[in-house]
Amino acid sequence: MSTKTVRVLVVICSTRPGALGPTVGKWLTETIGPRAVDLGVELAPIALGDLDLPFLDEEEHPSSGVYRHEHTQRWSAMVDAADGFIVVTPEYNYGMPATLKNALDYLGREWAWKPIGFVSYGNTSAGTRSVQHAKQVVTTLRLVPLGSTVALRISDAVKEGRVRPDAALVGAAVGVLDELVRLAHALRPMRERVRPGLPPGPLPGSYTRRLVPDDAPEVTVLQRCCWLDEALVNDTLAIPALHESPEQVREWLATWHATGLWRDGRLLGMVRARRTDTDWHVGRLGVVPDL
Ligand SMILES: Cc1cc2nc3c(=O)[nH]c(=O)nc-3n(C[C@H](O)[C@H](O)[C@H](O)COP(=O)(O)O)c2cc1C
């Protein structure tokens, strides 16, 4: 599992003056804030009303990634930088609000393979029909909806413009965050972008690319797996690759030209090379033991 920080956009959908959405959004971020700190999650609240997104006005299909308007480019950058989403949504006429549908329609690949959770509110249905409506749309964008949800029945959950203290609701909200973070980590390999033109590897779906210092955790694990056999065969642990820390690996990755063989975010093999005058030094040739 990755140890990188998870950035979660908390999206407030309603834009009406005096809307309940901001109140529910504030309750949510305050409620899950401490858990977010524990999990290394950065919560970024955003109100769709602040984005100034008109009804979709881009000429090209969003899958092209060609965005002429600044508002689209800004929204694209925000969604791209996020690892997951919690949508705070009302139910309007048994469905999601048009603001949410419009914000989803604007973009394409920025959403793909990221988890999305819902905190809904409404009258008798507590906004759940809005969530069901949204779920069928978000899956088209390769967003992955959570099973956990929070649903507030306004008459029970809200009093004098505030969300009433309720241990069950707090538990549900923390449950949404927990599941979102697990999925965000699990989906990371799916999000790794294979740039067109990268040389394919020997296994279907695999590809090679240059290793960079940020690959240090994966390289460290691969080294320790690979050189264990050599340690056993030679009856010695005096093998540098077995002892290097992620920090030391990070250092040499900055100076050697190392190439990795990847599939679905897993580093399957590597080799490194470095030129000194007219000599090429080649080493650290390793492949995961199971392959
Ligand atoms: C246009 C509109 C449609 C609504 N439709 C529903 C509905 O289908 N189901 C429901 O439970 N509540 C419905 N409501 C009531 C909302 O749940 C309630 O007004 C809520 O506060 C709306 O969220 P907001 O204040 O963040 O806009 C509707 C409200 C509006 C303004």
Side-chain angles (χ1 to χ4, degrees):
M1 184 182 277
S2 169
T3 53
K4 288 171 192 152
T5 306
V6 174
R7 184 175 166 82
V8 175
L9 269 197
V10 178
V11 181
I12 320 290
C13 297
S14 55
T15 51
R16 300 182 309 122
L20 187 59
T23 303
V24 178
K26 186 164 177 284
W27 166 81
L28 178 71
T29 49
E30 286 173 2
T31 301
I32 63 176
R35 183 73 174 162
V37 173
D38 290 348
L39 294 172
V41 170
E42 186 193 345
L43 291 176
I46 167 85
L48 290 182
D50 293 341
L51 294 179
D52 290 329
L53 280 179
F55 274 120
L56 181 59
D57 61 350
E58 289 289 346
E59 199 176 331
E60 304 289 338
H61 190 284
S63 63
S64 69
V66 177
Y67 304 135
R68 282 183 210 284
H69 298 295
E70 209 210 319
H71 51 251
T72 318
Q73 291 159 11
R74 251 186 293 122
W75 181 223
S76 163
M78 271 185 219
V79 172
D80 204 32
D83 299 296
F85 310 92
I86 302 179
V87 169
V88 177
T89 184
E91 176 174 304
Y92 287 166
N93 297 314
Y94 285 31
M96 73 174 112
T99 48
L100 175 57
K101 179 69 165 63
N102 190 46
L104 288 166
D105 290 343
Y106 254 98
L107 307 175
R109 56 154 196 83
E110 297 89 337
W111 299 113
W113 307 120
K114 296 178 183 177
I116 184 165
F118 293 93
V119 173
S120 67
Y121 53 96
N123 294 326
T124 41
S125 72
T128 50
R129 289 171 298 214
S130 166
V131 174
Q132 288 308 108
H133 182 211
K135 275 185 175 176
Q136 60 151 350
V137 173
V138 299
T139 53
T140 308
L141 293 162
R142 308 291 189 279
L143 277 158
V144 181
L146 305 187
S148 301
T149 54
V150 181
L152 282 76
R153 215 169 139 166
I154 297 171
S155 57
D156 300 332
V158 180
K159 194 178 180 199
E160 289 162 6
R162 293 178 67 85
V163 178
R164 285 177 155 156
D166 181 333
L169 278 183
V170 171
V174 171
V176 164
L177 182 67
D178 283 352
E179 192 175 319
L180 188 98
V181 171
R182 290 183 67 199
L183 253 184
H185 284 302
L187 289 171
R188 246 192 185 125
M190 296 290 287
R191 298 210 298 278
E192 182 161 288
R193 279 193 198 110
V194 185
R195 270 172 286 129
L198 278 181
L203 297 173
S206 67
Y207 56 94
T208 54
R209 69 160 170 81
R210 182 163 183 177
L211 296 172
V212 295
D214 276 351
D215 295 316
E218 285 83 0
V219 171
T220 309
V221 170
L222 180 62
Q223 292 197 149
R224 292 192 187 183
C225 294
C226 289
W227 273 272
L228 202 60
D229 277 351
E230 195 169 316
L232 292 173
V233 168
N234 294 299
D235 197 20
T236 176
L237 288 172
I239 299 171
L242 279 179
H243 297 276
E244 282 176 357
S245 65
E247 291 72 29
Q248 287 169 317
V249 172
R250 175 172 270 280
E251 269 172 39
W252 70 249
L253 279 170
T255 55
W256 286 78
H257 187 113
T259 302
L261 173 68
W262 296 84
R263 187 175 62 180
D264 289 339
R266 183 184 181 207
L267 181 61
L268 303 180
M270 66 172 186
V271 64
R272 71 179 189 182
R274 187 164 63 177
R275 189 175 134 165
T276 318
D277 301 324
T278 55
D279 293 336
W280 267 103
H281 299 263
V282 180
R284 295 289 168 96
L285 179 63
V287 175
V288 284
D290 58 302
L291 292 174

